[in-house]
């Protein structure tokens, strides 16, 4: 059994029973990728004729096609056994090339997780340090078992937090992306009741993502609850079951030019997997600060700058279907929709992506994924003569392949 | 037995006997913390009304309270056994957020230790690479068994070296802090005589701290000697004994605006531990370059700059007491005093901190610490009407909690 | 046996048989060094009287003598056994101080290797990720068994790629050095025929060295072939045999001021080792972009800038001899010659270095090396009155010592 990858993500780290965790288990994973778009140039706007940011590959945005080591994580996990089976720890650092290792003072070797869990109080485990915040499934689930190469628009733009000094005119992020993480204290546990597993989590944190320290004396609060019906004696990385969950988080951010702004997020969702069919759906809302992309959809190399919308609203959802043709081959279909910047007409954008996918599992720890993303962005509140429509029409479909290994 | 943490720090790394060290032992530790002050604003001076650097949490100085992963170190140690029991190595990198991973070209994943020890010559072991220099107990001791959250003033300001380009006007450090380390060659050994253990060390190094390479063709020299009476058959991380030691180091540094300056340090001290009572005391002197703090005690974010005093003197000491109420709970009291910049009235400051502490040991490798630091700084040579007194009066007490785990 | 270090470098990573590779083997190596020159100042040119770049120690070029942790690599390798013996992976990160961890956004903890090998197709193993490109022996061989401290001129200047924004006026590299690596896909295998082992490799990559992602939508192609006669049942890190090989690579680079330029390299060579005598020789040619050094041979600290020659040619070779006086002691002699910038008189330089060396092997995994390099550079096409001759006459011999350990 591999309880470390049980699909109750809250319980996957720091709660190993004594016979399951050695003093120091070396572990990690590699995601090596190739992505490509048609590199259609911007058809209008201040950067007309130059590369479109949305047709370049993140995080450098310098090429429309590239091989990349998207993730290369090395970590150590374990408990103090035989000294003390009630104390667990979890360490993980990122050596790949993505939003965690770029921006501001971020670098290769960026720490993504460092926590200690104290399992002394029945019903109230305490986790202290930096770790994934209790929240949306797409962010909370373990990256090695993510079924697609790229995140949905709603997760990427509402939950994958980018931090900037100002609301506009930023030449780049001032630090690593949040990566669905924060540094703080979480009280949590899961309870079995017949076939059902009920979980809760409450967390207080800096609200500083993977940057480790607070920069404004404001703290974030996180709440999470879930209920999962487990099918049979299913265990392991891809447990069979039906799960429902809801969550919210509430914090403040400080921008040099605007001052303190709110950042609220909430959501609910469900996952289902019976070994042959897999279904996942989430609905997510945002209130307060929202990522705004680059000016005119240009690239930083061509002089475009990044913005955030300090006080906006957004909502979105996705529906993800999986079908195992044979045990080693899963076909995937995902539709995601994001309605962002709904309060101000100039901000309002509708992002839609339909993703066709296939995953082949060489074994339980090695998989190759192919994705084809059909992408569109609309600006529904702007006149049809506005150049934004031509800019957004420049967006290409994107193909990607990923080889994933866990060790 | 865990000889790796024997309290003779000189001998704790690179000297493992063949049956004690595997080919490659993965190890490390995590210090996850919360610190907070009252965030009293500066009462006078050029930065009056803004945040005081001494009331912000290091190393970012951007918040007066924060959770932080202060240390997250991953390393490998071992010997070549079964090939050759006389060669040992020691590797350690820092992934946490502190002075080692900030400043200049420093980054997460900064190497703190990389050395090879050749144990071929009786009485003269040779260690080559980067490692802790033989010196003051507070710096030389292993971080996981340090009994407080923060260093004393005398260690922090005289021994924890910050490197800058110039003597004044620096917007930040030009590299990582020295972290009591250097790159070079050390000849050392320890000798048992009845209950006594006598040790010596001589080292030559770049004088470049954790920056790895020399930047000025000057080298530092380090000398160290100690004698410890060991009580009974005591071993392990917190060996019982009475130790006395003395040390000195001598080097030069190069500042762009001033040129070559001296940097001399020396000290002596004692430690005592019998399982119930613990006493440590050190006296340290400095001659030459001394860290000068920020202008007007302001923060870098508000425009204050860092300085060093190129040719000054300082001396200080601390007295640290521990009492084990029960085997798992130690109460601590520490008083430290630093008399810095004694040659020039404008530089002269007296730092005093009294620290109340408690440590609870969940097990031999996991502890939680709570500290309350009562802090004051005085400028004894300046007229009572000088605004410096109001600036220094802005300093708050500081509370801190740290969860520490070694794996 | 240690097949991981078999001298067929193509096969040393990712092809371990199932009984040879655990799930996750922690490994790495340390190279701790001391290097020194006479620090002769430049005798002419714009930087006359100041430090000469070629007399300073890389990569900082701030001192003519220094201790350094040149390499400190920590990695994980293994296969999925017992799940699946056909999938291997290889991860390695650099924590030392060299060209990989300096320049642009490079940092300590820089990833050097992250690849997954799929060994499913007979005769066509597939390796995906970042790894050493199939090419010259001096670059492709494992660093821990390199017989000298420093690279030959031909390898250092033609194959160790430095990346810059422009052809001239660069204050520093814009990223890590290439380190003989690229990110992409390689198809390769080796075939035994009696005593002979025949190997081939074909690779496509970003052409971005250790920077992980492409920056210009151009890809590099690499070809390699070798034939080795193996002596007896020799195995392990320093297998006995006679090998012949040839290789080429072809790509493009983009400079802001010049645009797209070619970068072509090719070569052939041989190695011989019978346990007592060792011979290696390579011939290498370059066409297209070539590294041009610093202006006036000055140092960056004194204002000199780096250049590349966008469209030049070069060729060079080395001859390396080793003799084992006793099994643990090898004496070395190496002569290398580089004829660089042969198309334009102002670019034309002849680099010659004769290296005397000795290596003492404490055991199979620990060695100490001493090198004395007699160096000269000439500008054969410039008039004898040109100041370049005095500049180049400033070059010193260089001494170096290296302690090397593999774990």
């Amino acid at each position: 059994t591999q309880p470390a990858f049980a699909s109750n993500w809250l319980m996957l780290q720091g709660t190993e029973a004594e016979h399951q965790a050695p003093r120091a288990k070396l572990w990690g994973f590699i995601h090596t990728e190739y992505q490509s778009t048609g590199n259609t140039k911007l058809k209008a706007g201040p950067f007309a004729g130059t590369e479109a940011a949305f047709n370049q590959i993140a995080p450098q945005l310098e090429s429309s096609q590239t091989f990349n080591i998207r993730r290369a994580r090395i970590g150590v996990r374990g408990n103090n056994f035989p000294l003390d089976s009630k104390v667990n720890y979890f360490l993980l650092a990122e050596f790949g090339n993505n939003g965690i290792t770029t921006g501001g003072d971020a670098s290769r070797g960026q720490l993504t997780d460092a926590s200690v869990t104290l399992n002394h109080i029945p019903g109230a485990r305490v986790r202290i340090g930096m770790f994934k915040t209790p929240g949306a499934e797409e962010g909370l689930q373990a990256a090695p078992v993510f079924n697609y190469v790229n995140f949905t628009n709603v997760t990427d733009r509402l939950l994958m937090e980018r931090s900037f000094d100002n609301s506009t005119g930023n030449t780049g992020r001032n630090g690593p992306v949040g990566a669905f993480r924060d540094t703080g204290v979480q009280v949590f546990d899961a309870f079995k009741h017949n076939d059902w597993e009920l979980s809760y989590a409450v967390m207080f944190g800096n609200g500083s993502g993977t940057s480790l320290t607070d920069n404004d004396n404001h703290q974030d609060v996180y709440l999470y609850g879930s209920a999962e019906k487990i099918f049979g004696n299913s265990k392991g990385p891809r447990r069979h079951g039906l799960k429902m969950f809801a969550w919210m988080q509430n914090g403040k951010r400080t921008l040099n030019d605007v001052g303190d702004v709110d950042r609220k997020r909430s959501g609910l969702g469900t996952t289902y997997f019976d070994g042959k069919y897999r279904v996942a759906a989430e609905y997510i809302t945002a209130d307060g600060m929202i990522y705004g992309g680059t000016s005119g959809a240009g690239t930083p190399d061509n002089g475009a700058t990044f913005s955030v919308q300090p006080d906006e609203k957004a909502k979105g959802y996705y529906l993800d279907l999986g079908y195992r043709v044979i045990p080693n081959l899963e076909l995937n279909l995902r539709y995601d929709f994001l309605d962002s910047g709904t309060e101000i007409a100039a901000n309002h954008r509708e992002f839609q992506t339909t993703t066709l996918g296939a995953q082949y599992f060489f074994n339980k720890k090695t998989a190759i994924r192919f994705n084809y993303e059909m992408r569109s962005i609309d600006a529904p509140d702007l006149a049809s003569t506005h150049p934004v429509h031509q800019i957004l029409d420049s967006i290409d479909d994107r193909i990607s392949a990923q080889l994933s290994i866990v060790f």
Side-chain angles (χ1 to χ4, degrees), chain A:
Chain A
T1 68
Q2 292 167 307
F5 288 96
S7 61
N8 187 339
W9 310 118
L10 265 192
M11 303 299 289
L12 75 72
Q13 299 167 353
T15 64
E16 296 90 339
E18 56 188 88
H19 65 286
Q20 293 165 335
R23 180 192 65 82
K25 180 188 175 185
L26 179 67
W27 76 289
F29 54 94
I30 306 173
H31 281 176
T32 175
E33 295 187 355
Y34 179 78
Q35 297 205 34
S36 180
T37 72
N39 201 18
T40 296
K41 301 301 186 298
L42 288 163
K43 298 175 179 173
F47 297 98
T50 70
E51 288 79 9
F54 42 54
N55 291 339
Q56 308 304 307
I57 310 304
Q60 275 78 16
L61 303 177
E62 294 183 343
S63 183
S64 66
Q65 64 77 37
T66 188
F67 293 99
N68 187 21
I69 307 294
R70 171 87 161 267
R71 296 182 185 91
R73 298 215 189 136
I74 302 178
V76 192
R77 60 193 300 172
N79 63 15
N80 280 328
F81 178 82
L83 291 173
D84 185 344
S85 65
K86 288 184 172 161
V87 180
N88 297 60
Y89 68 92
F90 186 90
L91 259 183
L92 192 62
E94 173 66 273
F95 295 84
N97 178 41
N98 59 40
I100 295 172
T101 53
T102 55
D105 57 359
S107 70
R108 303 291 169 76
Q110 195 77 10
L111 194 69
T112 63
D113 300 85
S115 70
V116 178
T117 308
L118 304 174
N119 300 292
H120 298 79
I121 308 169
R125 300 171 191 263
V126 179
R127 190 176 191 188
I128 303 175
M130 177 166 65
F131 45 89
K132 280 193 174 179
T133 59
E137 180 80 3
E138 196 175 346
L140 188 55
Q141 71 181 162
V145 298
F146 185 48
N147 293 293
Y148 294 86
V149 177
N150 292 310
F151 291 113
T152 61
N153 287 299
V154 62
T155 294
D156 180 48
R157 295 183 74 97
L158 300 188
L159 304 185
M160 178 60 86
E161 185 173 357
R162 284 88 158 168
S163 60
F164 296 101
D165 285 337
N166 296 292
S167 63
T168 59
N170 302 288
T171 56
R173 285 181 278 113
N174 63 10
V177 295
F180 319 120
R181 286 162 170 90
D182 200 1
T183 307
V185 176
Q186 178 183 265
V187 177
F188 71 106
D189 213 344
F191 308 90
K192 293 257 183 183
H193 185 71
N194 297 330
D195 294 345
W196 287 82
E197 189 175 83
L198 305 175
S199 306
Y200 81 95
V202 180
M203 179 180 176
F204 293 90
N206 287 332
S208 57
T210 52
S211 286
L212 286 182
T213 60
D214 199 23
N215 64 354
D216 62 3
N217 284 327
H218 296 298
Q219 293 192 320
D220 280 29
V221 61
Y222 305 84
L223 299 175
Y224 179 91
S226 72
E228 180 168 10
K229 181 174 170 61
I230 300 163
F231 302 160
N233 288 317
S234 167
K235 290 181 185 176
R238 293 176 179 271
R239 183 166 70 173
H240 302 173
L242 170 66
K243 180 168 68 174
M244 288 150 293
F245 57 90
W247 58 274
M248 64 81 63
Q249 65 186 74
N250 192 350
K252 286 185 185 297
R253 298 292 179 271
T254 304
L255 295 164
N256 288 344
D257 58 349
V258 176
D260 287 358
V261 298
D262 285 326
R263 188 176 181 280
K264 298 177 185 174
R265 300 291 187 269
S266 59
L268 50 85
T270 185
T271 64
Y272 172 92
F273 184 47
D274 66 9
K276 195 169 179 73
Y277 295 97
R278 196 178 53 70
V279 181
E282 290 196 79
Y283 177 77
I284 294 165
T285 68
D287 188 354
M289 194 176 83
I290 295 175
Y291 174 57
T294 61
S295 51
T299 66
D301 278 4
N302 289 324
T305 57
F306 294 88
S307 68
V308 289
Q309 298 161 0
D311 186 16
E312 262 289 3
K313 290 186 179 170
K315 55 188 182 295
Y317 64 90
Y318 70 82
L319 177 64
D320 161 27
L321 304 174
Y323 170 64
R324 296 261 175 149
V325 183
I326 53 173
N328 280 12
L329 177 64
E330 182 172 309
L331 300 182
N332 295 112
L333 175 64
R334 185 179 70 181
Y335 173 76
D336 71 80
F337 179 82
L338 167 63
D339 197 23
S340 186
T342 55
E343 303 306 291
I344 300 171
N347 290 341
H348 198 182
R349 298 285 183 281
E350 291 175 352
F351 299 80
Q352 292 184 70
T353 299
T354 302
T355 307
L356 306 176
Q359 311 183 67
Y360 182 80
F361 300 93
F362 290 99
N363 53 56
K364 282 190 179 180
K365 297 192 165 187
T366 312
I368 192 161
R369 295 185 178 92
F370 298 94
N371 279 185
Y372 185 86
E373 295 167 82
M374 295 173 282
R375 307 186 298 168
S376 74
I377 315 174
D378 293 306
D381 296 348
L382 297 177
S384 65
T385 54
H386 196 290
V388 70
H389 300 291
Q390 276 188 280
I391 292 176
L392 299 177
D393 187 51
S394 315
I395 193 167
D396 291 321
D397 292 350
R398 184 168 55 189
I399 61 168
S400 54
Q402 179 189 73
L403 183 56
S404 163
I405 192 165
V406 186
F407 61 86

